Amino acid sequence: RLWHQPLKHREWNGTGSTAHFQDIFLGRCYIYTQLVQPEFRPYHMQHTFETKLLIFTSHVLSLRDRDCKKIEEAFRNAFISKDPCEVTEEDYHPLMELASQTVPCDKTVFWSRTKELAHQYTWVRQEMFTLENTLLGYVADGLTWCGDSGSSEMNYQSCPDWRKDCKNNSVTVFWKVLSKMFAENACGMVQVVLNGSLSNAFSKDSTFGGVEVHNLHPEKVHTLQAWVMHDIGKSPSDSCSGSSIMDLKSIMSKRNIKFTCQDNYRPVKFLQCVRNPEDSSCSLRT
Ligand code: N1C
C-alpha cells in the first residue's frame, strides 16, 4: 500500500522528465563553467594564442561568474506550473538573457541529422562550437523536461510528444529559441554538417532548415559552408548536386549569403575513417 500517493499528473505520449533532472542540470552547469574551459584542456588541445585570447574574452570571461543556481531557477520558471503544451518563446527569454553567450566569428558549426559526427568534429577542433558546446546547449542536451499546470513539480511520468501531443512543448520550444539565438549571434563564415545518407540532406522541416537558416544575419554572416557527409558502409543518397542542396543554395542566395558545398569534407571524413580504417574509401589512394 502506498503511504504517499504520488501526485496525479496529466498523461502524455512521450517519456517523462529525466530522473534527477535538477541535479544533472546543476552539475553540468558547474562542469561547464568551472571545468570546460580552454585553460583546463590538455596541452595538445590548447589553442594558439590568438584564438585563445578571442575565446577567453568573448566566451569564457562572460561565463566565469555565472551563477548556476540562478540559471537553473530561470530555466525552471520557464515551464514549471504551466501546461507543457502551451509554453511560449517568451517564457524562455529571461533564461536566454541570463545565460547568453557569444561564439567567436568563423567558429559556429550547425548540423542536421549528423549530431554525433558534428560533435566529434568540434571536439577535435576545440575552438569550434556547436550549440551543445555553449552553456545552455550543454546543460540541456539529451534531457527531457516538462511541468504541469496543476503542480509546481516536474512531471516525471510523461511529457508531451512532438507528433502525438503538441508542437509547443517545453523541450521543442526551448531548442527553437536557443537555436534561433545561436544563429542570430553567428558571424563570419559558418559551417553546417549535413547527412548525405538521407534522401534529403537538407530539410526545411529540421531546426537547421526551419529556424537557423532563416535567422542568420547577412550583415554578419558572409558565407555558409555545407559539408555533405556520407556514412561509411551506406550508399550515398544525396550530395551537393542533389535537389535538397539546391534548395538550400537558393535560400542562401535570396538571403544574400554566399554558399559553398563540399561532399565528404576531408577533416570530417578523417574522423569517420578513424572508426572504419579498413574501408576502401579510407585508403590513402582515394
Ligand atoms: O532539427 P535539426 O536536427 O536540424 O537540429 C539541429 C540544429 C543544430 O544546428 C543545432 O544548432 O539545431 C540545433 N539543435 C540542437 O543543438 C539540439 N540539441 C539537441 C536542435 N535540436 C537539438 N536537440 C534535439 O535534437 C532537439 O530535441 C531536436 O528536436 C532534435 C533535432 O535534431 P535533428 O533533427 O538531427
Side-chain angles (χ1 to χ4, degrees):
R1 178 170 173 235
L2 283 173
W3 293 97
H4 301 284
Q5 287 290 336
L7 276 167
K8 193 69 195 142
H9 287 290
R10 257 185 87 174
E11 278 173 33
W12 305 101
N13 292 295
T15 50
S17 302
T18 308
H20 309 290
F21 182 90
Q22 249 178 300
D23 292 338
I24 295 173
F25 189 102
L26 265 179
R28 282 183 174 180
C29 182
Y30 287 124
I31 289 172
Y32 191 96
T33 55
Q34 305 301 315
L35 301 176
V36 185
Q37 290 179 10
E39 314 84 285
F40 294 101
R41 285 169 177 165
Y43 181 74
H44 64 276
M45 280 191 172
Q46 280 180 7
H47 312 289
T48 63
F49 184 69
E50 264 164 304
T51 48
K52 207 168 159 173
L53 203 68
L54 197 67
I55 293 171
F56 193 74
T57 47
S58 64
H59 174 75
V60 175
L61 263 193
S62 56
L63 278 175
R64 255 276 153 87
D65 301 316
R66 294 290 167 97
D67 188 330
C68 287
K69 290 208 175 91
K70 267 195 194 142
I71 295 173
E72 201 273 334
E73 197 183 303
F75 189 88
R76 281 174 72 78
N77 285 339
F79 65 92
I80 228 71
S81 302
K82 289 177 192 165
D83 181 335
C85 275
E86 267 156 46
V87 175
T88 64
E89 296 192 22
E90 288 70 42
D91 289 333
Y92 282 110
H93 284 168
L95 171 71
M96 300 296 151
E97 257 160 55
L98 197 60
S100 77
Q101 209 178 349
T102 50
V103 167
C105 291
D106 306 327
K107 306 299 180 194
T108 296
V109 178
F110 299 105
W111 51 267
S112 192
R113 275 115 224 210
T114 53
K115 187 175 181 181
E116 202 190 346
L117 194 57
H119 289 157
Q120 287 168 353
Y121 177 54
T122 61
W123 173 247
V124 173
R125 301 280 302 268
Q126 292 237 321
E127 77 282 9
M128 314 270 246
F129 293 83
T130 61
L131 186 51
E132 289 71 25
N133 299 134
T134 69
L135 175 66
L136 287 177
Y138 180 84
V139 294
D141 192 23
L143 305 182
T144 304
W145 61 91
C146 67
D148 194 302
S149 53
S151 146
S152 57
E153 300 289 305
M154 288 177 75
N155 186 346
Y156 293 99
Q157 267 78 53
S158 66
C159 284
D161 176 83
W162 186 80
R163 279 172 191 281
K164 293 181 196 142
D165 299 307
C166 57
K167 311 262 181 270
N168 289 333
N169 65 67
S170 33
V171 175
T172 306
V173 173
F174 169 83
W175 286 113
K176 193 171 165 193
V177 178
L178 196 61
S179 305
K180 191 168 158 183
M181 214 176 60
F182 186 58
E184 281 172 351
N185 289 328
C187 51
M189 176 116 76
V190 301
Q191 309 178 29
V192 61
V193 185
L194 298 172
N195 191 337
S197 295
L198 298 173
S199 47
N200 292 308
F202 172 70
S203 156
K204 290 184 180 111
D205 302 327
S206 65
T207 308
F208 173 69
V211 178
E212 291 172 331
V213 156
H214 304 285
N215 284 287
L216 295 171
H217 286 279
E219 322 82 70
K220 290 196 293 175
V221 175
H222 59 79
T223 310
L224 171 67
Q225 292 183 311
W227 318 124
V228 177
M229 304 306 301
H230 298 129
D231 289 341
I232 288 176
K234 281 191 202 159
S235 53
S237 308
D238 201 0
S239 70
C240 286
S241 49
S243 66
S244 84
I245 297 295
M246 291 302 138
D247 289 347
L248 176 56
K249 194 184 161 93
S250 90
I251 295 174
M252 294 328 287
S253 107
K254 278 184 206 130
R255 304 217 54 221
N256 265 321
I257 295 172
K258 195 176 157 232
F259 178 76
T260 67
C261 184
Q262 203 177 310
D263 290 311
N264 297 316
Y265 176 56
R266 297 247 298 169
V268 181
K269 174 76 189 184
F270 286 146
L271 294 169
Q272 294 174 307
C273 286
V274 170
R275 277 211 178 169
N276 304 273
E278 306 304 335
D279 192 86
S280 61
S281 72
C282 292
S283 95
L284 283 174
R285 283 170 301 279
T286 52

